[in-house]
Amino acid sequence: MATSADVARNRRYWDGERADAHGEVARAHWEAAEPTWGLWATPESRAGMIPAGIAGQRAVELGCGTGYVSAWLARAGARVVGIDVAGRQLATARALRDEYGLDLALVQGDAGRLPFRDGAFDFAISEYGASLWCDPLRWIPEAARVLAPGGRLVFLRPSPLFAMCLPERGETAPALLRPQSGLRRLAWERATEFNLPHGELIGLLRGCGFVIEELIEPVAPQDEEDPRWFSADTTVPAGWARRWPTEEIWKVRLG
Ligand SMILES: C[S@@+](CC[C@H](N)C(=O)[O-])C[C@H]1O[C@@H](n2cnc3c(N)ncnc32)[C@H](O)[C@@H]1O
């Protein structure tokens, strides 16, 4: 089980070195005319992360970081709350929210212990937020709790295959570096990530009352040549990500 030490560790990480780097790229995301998702900027027209009919719905972004996903939801007419554990990430999100004049609530807190009442939302989303940085055994039951019956959860996270091939430093190669068992909690040098293998994730989602509607595995575009930074220390070549999925999009709904 992830401990509060993992939450504190990741908060320090995101309040420290990562906040500066992330703050710089936030503006480009806020300015984007169409939402794009993940490492390979998969367009919303292909990813479909934002459901039709979101206008007027109550939405929460879990691990909202610099808040651009929340901004896209707000522009689509949703009533949005973004929650993040790191104050500096939220400071960037608040500055951009005020600059863009959007109606968007931003709250500091742990996605594994949400400060919201049962059934408070119709839609929950996470793009490399809680979906990567919070223990799924904590945040997925919490997402289920705060969603109303029929509520939808959509999240983008690294694929388990990518998590098994990702080096501590340097370029990702087609080589399995760690077993699938133990993948759930990946304690790196400065932060802790989480990646539940597919079978366990399906069991957890179903156990929380979710019906699985879609799993999309985006790959790098054919004409993409540049590698992507995955973390501060690691990259993945576009050629790798054309042959295997680096990331995946899950769409589930409370039954
Ligand atoms: C990659 S960033 C956010 C993704 C967002 N789409 C963005 O790029 O701004 C990951 C975020 O997860 C947040 N985070 C980490 N652990 C968390 C937790 N337990 N609860 C809520 N947020 C958390 C971090 O503070 C960080 O802002």
Side-chain angles (χ1 to χ4, degrees):
M1 194 70 174
T3 60
S4 52
D6 284 323
V7 177
R9 188 167 194 253
N10 286 347
R11 186 177 58 227
R12 274 196 303 277
Y13 181 65
W14 281 100
D15 265 336
E17 55 189 285
R18 286 308 290 277
D20 298 324
H22 233 61
E24 286 168 22
V25 293
R27 180 172 297 278
H29 278 113
W30 272 77
E31 280 171 358
E34 190 202 6
T36 60
W37 303 94
L39 290 181
W40 307 102
T42 302
E44 171 61 9
S45 52
R46 201 151 358 115
M49 298 261 302
I50 301 176
I54 191 73
Q57 294 208 343
R58 303 160 300 168
V60 62
E61 184 186 0
L62 306 168
C64 65
T66 53
Y68 56 83
V69 172
S70 291
W72 295 335
L73 293 172
R75 286 185 195 130
R79 290 178 281 148
V80 191
V81 181
I83 182 165
D84 199 282
V85 79
R88 284 195 58 208
Q89 288 278 87
L90 285 172
T92 302
R94 288 193 181 109
L96 286 160
R97 172 196 63 188
D98 295 347
E99 184 181 326
Y100 281 81
L102 281 184
D103 186 11
L104 186 63
L106 294 162
V107 175
Q108 188 164 12
D110 170 18
R113 250 179 65 187
L114 292 171
F116 307 123
R117 63 174 173 78
D118 297 2
F121 298 99
D122 308 299
F123 180 64
I125 191 166
S126 179
E127 184 211 30
Y128 285 125
S131 55
L132 171 61
W133 296 97
C134 195
D135 187 343
L137 300 190
R138 298 177 68 240
W139 80 265
I140 288 180
E142 275 294 85
R145 181 183 67 75
V146 301
L147 281 171
R152 288 168 192 278
L153 166 66
V154 172
F155 58 95
L156 185 150
R157 67 168 200 163
S159 73
L161 177 63
F162 183 46
M164 283 186 273
C165 295
L166 191 66
E168 279 272 350
R169 280 195 173 70
E171 187 178 276
T172 307
L176 291 169
L177 299 181
R178 61 189 60 81
Q180 180 164 294
S181 54
L183 207 57
R184 194 191 102 224
R185 180 176 178 276
L186 289 167
W188 302 103
E189 198 178 317
R190 300 190 293 274
T192 307
E193 295 178 356
F194 300 88
N195 196 308
L196 213 54
H198 287 157
E200 289 175 65
L201 181 58
I202 289 169
L204 175 63
L205 288 165
R206 286 197 176 142
C208 291
F210 286 112
V211 175
I212 295 161
E213 297 195 316
E214 198 173 5
L215 169 61
I216 301 175
E217 298 169 292
V219 292
Q222 281 306 324
D223 57 356
E224 181 58 71
E225 289 175 6
D226 294 335
R228 290 292 186 278
W229 287 97
F230 174 70
S231 69
D233 305 312
T234 55
T235 59
V236 56
W240 195 107
R242 260 190 290 281
R243 283 178 287 169
W244 301 284
T246 46
E247 53 197 10
E248 53 190 32
I249 296 167
W250 289 76
K251 300 181 190 177
V252 303
R253 179 178 46 78
L254 274 187

